[in-house]
Amino acid sequence: GENVEQHPSTLSVQEGDSAVIKCTYSDSASNYFPWYKQELGKRPQLIIDIRSNVGEKKDQRIAVTLNKTAKHFSLHITETQPEDSAVYFCAAVDRQGAQKLVFGQGTRLTINP
Amino acid sequence: DTEVTQTPKHLVMGMTNKKSLKCEQHMGHRAMYWYKQKAKKPPELMFVYSYEKLSINESVPSRFSPECPNSSLLNLHLHALQPEDSALYLCASSLGQNTDTQYFGPGTRLTVL
């Protein structure tokens, strides 16, 4: 089955700087890669996703890039703000189990004012 | 209605109790999921229902029993749980294809004494 590795486990950046979180996956047939943000005590919320027919997707300050050859994808947050502080999870669909999302271990992002 | 709802928000139960968790969505989604999330860990898939039929059971112990009475409702029946089953139980739903976004409910915080 699919395996997803996520780095770093913790990330601290100054407000206004950029943050980058990287994930690698094992199954070359995976074709859907969402990113979820989870604030303390709250539900995971989708912030952006990418499907394998595109290499990059942007939504305001958030972007995701996908490199299918290398089997990795990254989340980029620019002009970070205190409300960006949260745990971020990447995920990939396990093709052997339709609709099964396999999550990375998470990155705790702290934005310092 | 564009949200997944879950009840109760919190549940404390003894090891001999029987209780149920409830999840509801009215977005016309045809796939519904149960996840378990321990502190500082990613969500782990337990069950997937697709078109009201159980399609994935991730080798979950029989003390957890899922039920999908109709396309909008998903239950998780709990019996003879162990203290290590204490966790946040998240429900999610999606349109039904493996590249469709999964939307999470707020979760039920379960404590087993």
Side-chain angles (χ1 to χ4, degrees), chain A:
Chain A
E2 178 66 274
N3 183 51
V4 177
E5 300 278 339
Q6 182 173 347
H7 299 281
S9 56
T10 61
L11 180 60
S12 182
V13 302
Q14 288 298 119
E15 183 178 352
D17 288 351
S18 296
V20 180
I21 302 171
K22 299 183 178 182
C23 290
T24 59
Y25 61 98
S26 59
D27 185 354
S28 57
S30 289
N31 60 355
Y32 176 60
F33 307 92
W35 285 89
Y36 286 87
K37 174 184 180 183
Q38 188 173 28
E39 296 176 66
L40 191 63
K42 301 279 183 71
R43 74 185 80 192
Q45 290 207 294
L46 181 81
I47 54 170
I48 197 166
D49 57 11
I50 192 166
R51 292 169 176 83
S52 60
N53 57 343
V54 296
E56 183 175 359
K57 184 176 176 180
K58 275 187 179 179
D59 182 3
Q60 299 183 341
R61 297 185 296 109
I62 294 172
V64 56
T65 58
L66 171 64
N67 182 328
K68 286 206 72 183
T69 304
K71 290 190 282 187
H72 68 69
F73 56 113
S74 301
L75 178 71
H76 304 253
I77 306 174
T78 59
E79 300 172 17
T80 53
Q81 300 166 4
E83 53 265 36
D84 294 329
S85 295
V87 178
Y88 292 80
F89 293 102
C90 63
V93 164
D94 185 337
R95 292 285 291 176
Q96 293 184 21
Q99 303 158 13
K100 178 180 175 180
L101 277 182
V102 178
F103 286 85
Q105 289 301 302
T107 296
R108 179 170 300 279
L109 175 63
T110 303
I111 308 301
N112 302 307

